[in-house]
């Protein structure tokens, strides 16, 4: 941004693509790093936290930003790919300033910070946070009815104090469009206190989706901070295999208490999965694949495939079984792949088009064998059937990958080598 250009509100920068001088995208803005100063001097903006395509977060100094315009950030092209680590004197603008309760210096009235703006200083390459957009009122559910105002940074007080009642609504609105995996990455990089606040503000389904994408330590931490009744609700909203994996890491008494609070049907599915070894087909499968009777039609199958909450892997095929339709089912007859459903008339019975050539997996099949099965037959999902011929569930390719990758795979990038020095300001 050239000197004298209009200010930029930071919520507009969240997720903004970052390009090098050749026009190649190198990542997206995930936060801004500022340093508070003594008195009421505006904080200096040190740089941006940029998430690369590999999901590594790096620090991009503002001195290497040549332009912020038209929804994009342009850099000099010189990037230090060493992982970003926040220093004690630094503040994350999106993660730590939004939703904070501060006071108006003139009246002493408390307001909630909804956004802040940054501006480049005239004839210099330095950037500052210059204004605060806030809402009057006590916050909470009905705070949106309060009056909003934009004031100079010097007109508010309270950013330097530890915040005990910071909400999360504005931060959540900033990341509203993120996929669960990306929002999980955001939560992972927040402070434990802020992570707990944001998790508490998410609805059960959204939090369940995010928990499934978080490292194990974060999952346990967040679940432990929830009230037990809500923790049970979130576990019910998770895929049964993910809920089983998470519960397996808890102390026995905590695990049993949460299972007791869950709906009996959901708890039964999870208990069944926990009976299998973790790195087997039974331990990795989901108990909620698409199951149809042989007299169901292609139209019935396509209606089930269209369900919005299904993952692409689970929607790739349906499993034809004798009743009962819930797992464990009656006799497993075979699989109908999605492409076959698209080729046949809507009135065709699925029982007449099953693929029964491939043997299903037994629940005790080990991870290496399961991985070889997927690789050999180019599968994205596979049925798991017991000795009696009942369908127990389905295992998907993402389940296999989750168990084959290193425990810290979310923190590991496979295409970059660490180099350069720590970020500074």
């Amino acid at each position: 941004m050239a000197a004298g250009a209009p200010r930029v509100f930071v919520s507009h920068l969240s997720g903004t693509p970052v390009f090098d001088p050749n026009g190649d995208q190198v990542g997206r803005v995930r936060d801004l790093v500022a340093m508070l100063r003594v008195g009421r001097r505006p904080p200096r903006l040190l740089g941006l936290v940029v998430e690369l395509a590999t999901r590594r977060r790096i620090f991009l100094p503002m001195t290497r930003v040549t332009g912020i315009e038209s929804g994009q950030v342009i850099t000099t092209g010189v990037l230090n790919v060493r992982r970003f680590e926040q220093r004690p004197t630094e503040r994350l603008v999106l993660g730590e300033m939004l939703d904070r309760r501060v006071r108006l210096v003139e009246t002493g009235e408390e307001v909630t910070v909804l956004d802040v703006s940054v501006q480049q200083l005239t004839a210099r390459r330095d950037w500052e946070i210059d204004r605060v957009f806030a809402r009057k009122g006590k916050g909470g559910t009905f705070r949106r009815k309060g009056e909003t105002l934009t004031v100079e940074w010097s007109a508010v007080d309270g950013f330097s104090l530890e915040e005990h009642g910071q909400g999360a609504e504005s931060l959540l609105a900033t990341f509203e469009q993120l996929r669960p995996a990306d929002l999980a990455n955001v939560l992972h990089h927040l402070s434990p206190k802020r992570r707990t606040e944001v998790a508490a503000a998410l609805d059960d389904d959204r939090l369940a989706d995010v928990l499934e994408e978080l490292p194990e330590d974060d999952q346990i931490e967040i679940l432990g901070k929830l009230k037990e009744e809500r923790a049970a609700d979130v576990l019910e909203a998770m895929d049964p295999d993910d809920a089983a994996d998470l519960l397996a890491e808890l102390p026995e008494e905590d695990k049993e208490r949460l299972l007791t609070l869950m709906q009996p049907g959901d708890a039964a599915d999870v208990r069944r999965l926990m009976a299998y070894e973790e790195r087997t087909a039974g331990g990795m499968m989901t108990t909620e694949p698409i199951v149809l009777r042989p007299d169901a039609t292609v139209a019935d199958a396509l209606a089930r495939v269209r369900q919005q909450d299904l993952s692409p892997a689970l929607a790739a095929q349906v499993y034809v079984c004798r009743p009962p339709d819930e797992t464990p089912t009656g006799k497993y007859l075979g699989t109908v792949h999605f492409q076959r459903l698209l080729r046949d008339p809507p009135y065709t019975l699925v029982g007449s088009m099953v693929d029964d050539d491939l043997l299903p997996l037994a629940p005790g099949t080990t991870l290496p064998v399961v991985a070889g099965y997927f690789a050999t037959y180019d599968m994205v999902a596979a049925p798991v059937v017991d000795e009696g011929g009942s369908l127990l569930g389905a295992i998907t390719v993402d389940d296999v990958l989750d168990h084959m990758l290193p425990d810290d795979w979310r923190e590991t990038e496979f295409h970059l080598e660490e180099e350069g020095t720590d970020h500074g300001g």
Side-chain angles (χ1 to χ4, degrees):
M1 178 185 294
R7 63 183 50 86
V8 178
F9 281 93
V10 298
S11 63
H12 298 163
L13 291 178
S14 173
T16 299
V18 179
F19 295 92
D20 64 19
N22 297 323
D24 295 324
Q25 183 174 338
V26 296
R28 289 185 178 274
V29 176
R30 290 305 181 207
D31 216 319
L32 299 87
V33 183
M35 182 175 66
L36 298 179
R37 296 194 277 196
V38 295
R40 295 195 177 92
R41 295 177 61 196
R44 180 185 173 201
L45 190 63
L46 302 178
L48 308 175
V49 179
V50 176
E51 184 176 280
L52 304 179
T54 55
R55 298 181 67 179
R56 176 190 292 268
R57 292 188 170 208
I58 67 169
F59 178 75
L60 175 63
M62 293 307 296
T63 53
R64 295 181 182 173
V65 174
T66 59
I68 300 178
E69 52 191 21
S70 302
Q72 61 184 12
V73 174
I74 308 299
T75 76
T76 60
V78 181
L79 293 180
N80 180 344
V81 297
R82 192 177 186 88
R83 189 186 306 280
F84 167 71
E85 293 183 4
Q86 184 179 358
R87 294 174 176 175
T89 57
E90 298 171 346
R91 295 292 181 270
L92 295 176
V93 179
L94 294 174
E96 298 177 358
M97 290 187 177
L98 299 194
D99 300 298
R100 181 176 285 271
R101 298 286 290 165
V102 297
R103 294 183 304 277
L104 298 176
V105 174
E106 186 174 346
T107 64
E109 181 179 4
E110 281 200 344
V111 295
T112 302
V113 178
L114 303 181
D115 211 342
V116 297
S117 66
V118 297
Q119 192 169 39
Q120 190 173 18
L121 300 181
T122 305
R124 295 173 58 187
R125 301 187 69 182
D126 287 344
W127 293 69
E128 288 184 344
I129 297 178
D130 65 338
R131 296 197 177 186
V132 177
F133 177 59
R135 187 182 302 277
K136 292 185 177 181
K138 295 184 178 180
T141 305
F142 301 104
R143 76 176 194 184
R144 295 183 181 278
K145 297 180 180 179
E147 175 191 351
T148 59
L149 69 163
T150 302
V151 296
E152 298 289 340
W153 176 270
S154 59
V156 298
D157 187 25
F159 278 101
S160 61
L161 301 177
E162 178 66 20
E163 178 60 53
H164 298 288
Q166 189 173 4
E169 289 84 357
S170 295
L171 181 60
L172 289 178
T174 300
F175 297 121
E176 185 177 6
Q177 302 303 318
L178 291 183
R179 293 174 179 268
D182 294 326
L183 181 54
N185 202 30
V186 170
L187 259 65
H188 177 67
H189 289 87
L190 294 177
S191 67
K193 171 181 173 293
R194 193 66 168 128
R195 183 160 53 242
T196 299
E197 292 166 345
V198 173
L202 293 169
D203 64 54
D204 290 350
D205 289 337
R206 180 74 160 158
L207 180 55
D209 290 340
V210 171
L211 277 180
E212 292 173 2
E213 304 294 340
L214 279 169
E216 181 182 288
D217 290 345
D218 290 343
Q219 290 181 330
I220 295 172
E221 173 196 303
I222 290 173
L223 197 71
K225 296 291 179 63
L226 301 177
K227 292 182 178 180
E228 287 188 340
E229 292 78 5
R230 192 186 176 209
D233 291 341
V234 172
L235 287 167
E236 290 171 6
M238 294 176 68
D239 288 339
D241 54 322
D242 291 306
D245 289 343
L246 174 51
L247 282 169
E249 301 302 323
L250 301 181
E252 191 65 28
E253 59 182 32
D254 294 340
K255 174 173 59 181
E256 284 302 320
R257 190 162 55 247
L258 288 171
L259 283 167
T260 302
L261 289 171
M262 293 172 65
Q263 293 293 326
D266 294 316
D269 285 342
V270 172
R271 288 184 188 277
R272 185 149 52 90
L273 289 169
M274 293 174 66
Y276 298 106
E277 292 292 332
E278 181 182 0
R279 297 169 72 84
T280 63
M284 294 184 288
M285 70 183 178
T286 177
T287 56
E288 299 176 344
I290 302 176
V291 178
L292 293 171
R293 299 184 183 186
D295 59 353
T297 65
V298 167
D300 296 328
L302 290 175
R304 295 284 301 277
V305 166
R306 280 196 293 268
Q307 292 178 5
Q308 186 174 357
D309 56 350
L310 277 177
S311 69
L314 280 181
Q317 54 204 46
V318 300
Y319 304 100
V320 183
C321 306
R322 301 289 183 192
D325 303 338
E326 301 292 329
T327 56
T329 68
K331 182 176 177 57
Y332 167 73
L333 301 177
T335 299
V336 181
H337 303 280
F338 176 62
Q339 285 181 319
R340 178 66 188 272
L341 293 173
L342 295 178
R343 290 198 295 262
D344 284 70
Y347 53 79
T348 307
L349 299 183
V350 295
S352 67
M353 50 197 302
V354 294
D355 178 359
D356 55 6
D357 291 340
L358 289 178
L359 291 176
L361 295 167
T365 307
T366 60
L367 176 59
V369 176
V370 173
Y373 178 97
F374 274 75
T376 301
Y377 299 113
D378 295 326
M379 304 292 286
V380 295
V384 181
V385 175
D386 66 12
E387 292 180 354
S390 296
L391 179 72
L392 301 177
I395 182 171
T396 60
V397 67
D398 58 298
D399 296 322
V400 177
L401 288 174
D402 279 347
H403 287 80
M404 292 191 69
L405 290 170
D407 291 339
D408 63 346
W409 69 267
R410 291 177 175 85
E411 294 297 314
T412 305
E413 283 70 46
F414 302 101
H415 303 95
L416 291 175
E417 297 181 357
E418 289 193 355
E419 60 184 26
T421 57
D422 290 328
H423 78 274

